Amino acid sequence: MRDATIGAVRAVNRDARHWQLLALSGLFLISVYTTDFGARPMHLLSAFTGAMSAQALASLLVKTRFEWKSAAITSLSLSILMRAVDPWMWFAAGVIGIGLKFAVRYKGKHVFNPACIGIVVMCLVFGRDVWVSPGQWGQAPLIAGWAVALAALVLSSAKRLDIAFGFIGTFAAILFGRALWLGDPMAIPIHQLSSGTLLVFTFFMITDPRSTPDSRAGRLVFAACVASLTAWFIIGPNVRAAPLMALAALSVMTPFLDRFLPANRFQWGKASMSKEGRDHETQTPVGSRHAGARLARP
């Protein structure tokens, strides 16, 4: 039994996306069973169909292997976060998110997190017909959700705790600092931090190693900027889906931070790539300083 357990953990740990899939599946179930207006299997099926279709078509067009894990993660994130008036909108969000992952790239690295940009585009295009549900889940399910997400990130080989803590720490400091400055009760920033949307964003969007800076310094700078813009969106114009809007707006910073604060390029899975250098779903081994440059050629 012990050997079987160790073997199972090692199998899951071969790819950081396995932990993401397990954690997001748990959050999906929490949303389904604890809220009346939460995620629904039909939403997941619609998003899954759109994301997988886009992934298959794009993989065929660019002649790279089909990777279902990224599309599955995008589908789960869309179904947990996005709300819409018609089921086809989750399908469209999946197609947009995965499509832009392939279409908008810089040196082989996609600029936008697929789920984030899919939701943002749908919100901008369809207005009130698409929205993000920030206050989903009760107190106990939300605490359980944070525990599940934190455990998944700690166990994951992606090791992006720095950007997660950098974002949530900066965001919380701004909210509590403002409350102290204005003399507001602490219940206000606590309520602003008690959000299922913020949970998923912190652990599964801004931590995406394929759309955020490669270096730790770059990630911390990026996290602080996204947190600051998120806080401004909430405090000032009261923008809907503020964290997602901030991440989408500032994603263009990543190529510049990678240029001025270089580090080895992270890629999913095993240390291999296709003969054309377009296998975007593999993982760079820790090695020479120029490994990222070799993998970055178009």
Side-chain angles (χ1 to χ4, degrees), residues 263-267 273 284-297:
N264 286 341
R265 173 73 54 84
F266 179 93
Q267 295 188 339
M273 60 188 300
T284 304
V286 177
S288 71
R289 181 181 181 86
H290 303 291
R294 291 198 302 270
L295 287 175
R297 68 178 186 271

Side-chain angles (χ1 to χ4, degrees), residues 28 63 70 74 97 108 135 154 157-158 165 178 191 195 203 219 222 227 231 237-238 242 271 288 296:
F28 176 81
K63 295 185 174 68
S70 176
T74 299
V154 169
S157 59
F165 288 156
R178 179 175 182 269
H191 175 73
S195 164
F203 288 105
R219 291 194 295 272
F222 184 73
N238 193 24
S288 71

Side-chain angles (χ1 to χ4, degrees), residues 47 51 73 89 110 128 140 144 164 192 197 200 203 206 219 258 290:
I73 289 168
M89 291 180 167
H110 56 268
R128 295 180 180 273
Q192 291 170 323
T197 298
V200 177
F203 288 105
I206 199 170
R219 291 194 295 272
D258 282 345
H290 303 291

Side-chain angles (χ1 to χ4, degrees), residues 9-10 25 65 123 142 201 229 245 293:
V9 171
R10 286 177 177 171
S25 297
R65 67 179 182 178
C123 286
L142 186 61
F201 178 85
L229 185 58
M245 293 290 183

